[in-house]
Amino acid sequence: IVYVVDAGNCRIQKFDSDGKFVGAWGHRGNSMGDLGYYYVEPKSVALDGAGNVYVVDGRIQKFTPTGKFITLWGTYASMNGNSSYNFTDAKSLAVDGFGNIYADDVFILKFAPNTKYLGEFGTAGKGEGQFHLPWGLTVDAQGHIFVADMGNNRIQKLDSRGKFVTAWGSFGSGKGQFKGPCGIAVDGSGNVYVTDLGNHRVQKFASN
């Protein structure tokens, strides 16, 4: 199943593996309390092991695989009795094998499956474990967190506790270089795929 963030139409679309349309949900909300809909354009989608769908749109919303609203937290959630955590500029989501949810706000935020805030990783800067405009993240089967550190034109790899493991990339158009990496995914073999925006390409890297 393929889920697509249709930002301009403020909805999520669902397709089968052959590209056949299955369903869609969401529209631009008309109030901050418009539960289960989108008050601003959705930016990213992620799934947990049960197939539940998480969407970031200035807050995080959780839906069943068929699009039924479950809960939300973030910018507008305090008005609805949920977690009062407010995002600054969350853009991407990832869910690990334990159901923990990660979001790339100014830094990397971690939430428990019940939406409880567990902490954040990173500070501003260019050093190891520091970020400048993180814009894309994913988690592999071992729980490693990969972050597209857009402003620093590199990819950073962290362990499940947020400790720096390694990084690669620099500004440029050569192999392994980036001009604004802004999306990332990991396949079942651990290969890493990066959307290299300024170079109009996708780059693939081995697990090492």
Side-chain angles (χ1 to χ4, degrees):
I1 298 295
V2 180
Y3 293 87
V4 179
V5 176
D6 185 5
N9 288 315
C10 297
R11 64 183 178 182
I12 303 300
Q13 295 202 59
K14 182 178 179 180
F15 302 85
D16 68 16
S17 58
D18 294 321
K20 182 180 178 181
F21 177 78
V22 176
W25 70 89
H27 60 74
R28 187 175 297 278
N30 55 19
S31 73
M32 291 185 179
D34 194 3
L35 292 176
Y37 302 101
Y38 303 116
Y39 185 66
V40 291
E41 294 179 355
K43 295 180 179 179
S44 181
V45 63
L47 275 67
D48 64 19
N52 296 307
V53 183
Y54 298 80
V55 179
V56 61
D57 72 328
R59 55 193 173 178
I60 297 176
Q61 297 196 63
K62 181 179 180 181
F63 301 89
T64 68
T66 58
K68 182 179 178 181
F69 175 78
I70 297 175
T71 190
L72 65 77
W73 68 100
T75 303
Y76 309 129
S78 60
M79 298 182 181
N80 299 296
N82 296 320
S83 166
S84 60
Y85 186 87
N86 290 327
F87 298 105
T88 300
D89 189 25
K91 298 169 288 295
S92 301
L93 293 173
V95 183
D96 66 20
F98 297 100
N100 298 306
I101 303 104
Y102 302 83
D104 60 351
D105 201 23
V106 178
F107 311 119
I108 308 305
L109 308 172
K110 184 176 182 179
F111 300 89
N114 64 359
T115 78
K116 180 182 178 181
Y117 173 74
L118 297 179
E120 63 185 48
F121 311 143
T123 57
K126 299 181 179 180
E128 296 179 349
Q130 294 184 315
F131 303 101
H132 178 47
L133 295 178
W135 200 305
L137 76 165
T138 191
V139 182
D140 68 13
Q142 289 72 45
H144 296 116
I145 305 161
F146 295 83
V147 182
D149 188 6
M150 185 178 184
N152 288 318
N153 291 293
R154 65 182 177 182
I155 303 302
Q156 292 201 63
K157 180 180 179 180
L158 313 175
D159 67 17
S160 60
R161 297 169 295 177
K163 183 179 179 180
F164 175 83
V165 176
T166 191
W168 70 91
S170 61
F171 179 80
S173 301
K175 294 179 179 179
Q177 293 185 311
F178 304 104
K179 289 183 179 179
C182 64
I184 189 166
V186 178
D187 66 21
S189 299
N191 297 307
V192 183
Y193 301 80
V194 181
T195 303
D196 185 8
L197 180 64
N199 287 316
H200 307 284
R201 64 185 180 182
V202 174
Q203 295 197 63
K204 180 181 178 181
F205 302 88
S207 59
N208 61 358

